[in-house]
Amino acid sequence: NAGVTQTPKFQVLKTGQSMTLQCAQDMNHNSMYWYRQDPGMGLRLIYYSASEGTTDKGEVPNGYNVSRLNKREFSLRLESAAPSQTSVYFCASSEAETSPTNEQFFGPGTRLTVL
Amino acid sequence: ILNVEQSPQSLHVQEGDSTNFTCSFPSSNFYALHWYRWETAKSPEALFVMTLNGDEKKKGRISATLNTKEGYSYLYIKGSQPEDSATYLCASRSTDSWGKLQFGAGTQVVVTP
């Protein structure tokens, strides 16, 4: 099992460019999440998908869109990148949003720089 | 302002020493408290999930306790080793946002030989 995979690992964009971060999991999990990690801020939830076909905003959704393509894949799109979106992005998945333990498994992260 | 606070932000420990650090979280509508271990250039890995007041969890030399009434959890490392060097994250879940984890900023632990 690969677990949670993310592509790309690194990306540099110019302000105004768009890109899509890809995430896939092979654990048959129902729920998937996108976080960003900034120094001193901890992990902040951007969007999540409790189950296939549903998506909801997290703490910091502005400037992002998501697509839950199928049960395995959850993509994050930046339509017009801004320097404030320079961050490390983590995708995670869990068995079910409401399970008592709801352990989330994280991907390796994408380091994005917007110039 | 983070609802989940961790202290200290960082600490240096001599190999063989024991250490502990704190996670504070909102006690109202509490559902679960998670601890993660995050090594540089890797993904966060789950250590513990605790749900009941008074819960104690242990994995090897690392253990954690939970006080849901006062809203804090301690993580202990006994006999620290260089491989324990990592950032330790805690995250809380509340009953009004089941699936969402609210993360603290982490405690960075550096164990020196």
Side-chain angles (χ1 to χ4, degrees):
Chain A
N1 283 354
V4 180
T5 57
Q6 292 181 235
T7 55
K9 284 191 167 55
F10 302 93
Q11 183 72 50
V12 179
L13 293 177
K14 294 181 180 177
T15 297
Q17 287 185 316
S18 62
M19 80 161 295
T20 299
L21 281 65
Q22 307 286 354
C23 173
Q25 52 90 10
D26 62 2
M27 295 174 281
N28 200 35
H29 284 168
N30 290 301
S31 303
M32 297 184 74
Y33 312 82
W34 276 106
Y35 293 91
R36 59 178 289 173
Q37 194 273 323
D38 302 295
M41 299 291 289
L43 289 163
R44 292 184 293 168
L45 184 65
I46 305 171
Y47 270 94
Y48 71 104
S49 171
S51 60
E52 187 179 354
T54 69
T55 60
D56 282 291
K57 295 178 181 179
E59 187 183 348
V60 288
N62 291 346
Y64 306 95
N65 284 303
V66 290
S67 295
R68 183 75 182 265
L69 304 169
N70 47 56
K71 191 171 184 179
R72 288 187 66 246
E73 298 171 290
F74 188 38
S75 62
L76 178 73
R77 182 159 178 85
L78 287 70
E79 290 291 350
S80 179
S84 60
Q85 293 178 305
T86 293
S87 188
V88 182
Y89 291 85
F90 286 96
C91 177
S93 70
S94 68
E95 193 175 295
E97 183 191 24
T98 56
S99 75
T101 57
N102 193 38
E103 179 180 328
Q104 292 188 14
F105 294 82
F106 285 82
T110 295
R111 187 173 295 273
L112 175 67
T113 301
V114 183
L115 303 174
Chain B
I1 298 175
L2 291 171
N3 288 328
V4 178
E5 312 244 346
Q6 292 187 246
S7 63
Q9 190 173 359
S10 65
L11 58 90
H12 286 74
V13 186
Q14 283 292 121
E15 182 176 356
D17 287 350
S18 296
T19 188
N20 65 83
F21 37 94
T22 309
C23 171
S24 301
F25 55 88
S27 56
S28 60
N29 303 318
F30 173 81
Y31 187 53
L33 192 283
H34 297 243
W35 279 101
Y36 284 84
R37 183 171 180 275
W38 190 5
E39 289 182 72
T40 303
K42 294 187 177 180
S43 314
E45 290 184 352
L47 279 173
F48 307 115
V49 181
M50 295 183 286
T51 57
L52 298 175
N53 186 45
D55 254 355
E56 291 188 25
K57 299 276 186 178
K58 188 175 180 183
K59 184 181 285 189
R61 292 177 291 96
I62 301 177
S63 61
T65 60
L66 179 67
N67 183 321
T68 62
K69 295 185 179 180
E70 295 181 43
Y72 65 84
S73 175
Y74 291 127
L75 192 116
Y76 300 87
I77 305 176
K78 185 178 178 182
S80 304
Q81 299 296 310
E83 57 265 31
D84 296 326
S85 296
T87 295
Y88 292 83
L89 299 170
C90 72
S92 72
R93 293 168 65 200
S94 66
T95 53
D96 54 4
S97 58
W98 300 98
K100 297 181 188 177
L101 292 176
Q102 182 76 46
F103 280 88
T107 292
Q108 183 183 26
V109 174
V110 177
V111 181
T112 50

